[in-house]
Amino acid sequence: MYLAADKGNIDTIIGGIAPNWGPFSSLGNEAKVMVEVVMAVAILLCLGIAIWGAAKQRIGATALRDTFSAEQGKGLIVAGLTGVFIIGSLGTLFTIVYGMAV
């Protein structure tokens, strides 16, 4: 267990949104930073949508007893978390597609 923790660093966590893969590897540093910022903002926006959906589901299901609001909240949670997953896996998708094209 200790050996596995010794090898990790922050790059393994944020490496998925850092555009050093596929067609982005030939961009300049400023362009890479801009892509990172756009992807990070998109992830935060998707997480915000998921949190808003959770709040909407909780408030709709308990306080207001509004089943329509609760169902909307479930949809927002799923949409937000799906967006986070898709943006987080773009590095893998671009590497596979770009590698197959080259």
Side-chain angles (χ1 to χ4, degrees):
M1 191 73 131
Y2 178 72
L3 295 175
D6 190 31
K7 297 177 186 175
N9 60 13
I10 193 67
D11 289 335
T12 58
I13 296 172
I14 63 169
I17 63 170
N20 55 0
W21 26 262
F24 296 107
S25 62
S26 62
L27 293 176
N29 286 335
E30 292 84 8
K32 286 182 183 179
V33 169
M34 287 303 296
V35 172
E36 283 181 29
V37 168
V38 168
M39 291 177 77
V41 167
I43 286 176
L44 290 176
L45 184 67
C46 288
L47 285 175
I49 290 172
I51 291 170
W52 181 36
K56 193 169 190 173
Q57 181 189 21
R58 180 73 178 154
I59 291 170
T62 58
L64 302 176
R65 291 184 178 34
D66 181 14
T67 57
F68 180 71
S69 181
E71 289 299 320
Q72 266 187 331
K74 287 179 188 176
L76 287 173
I77 293 170
V78 170
L81 294 179
T82 302
V84 169
F85 174 75
I86 290 172
I87 293 169
S89 63
L90 278 178
T92 305
L93 294 174
F94 268 99
T95 303
I96 291 170
V97 172
Y98 188 72
M100 291 174 66
V102 172

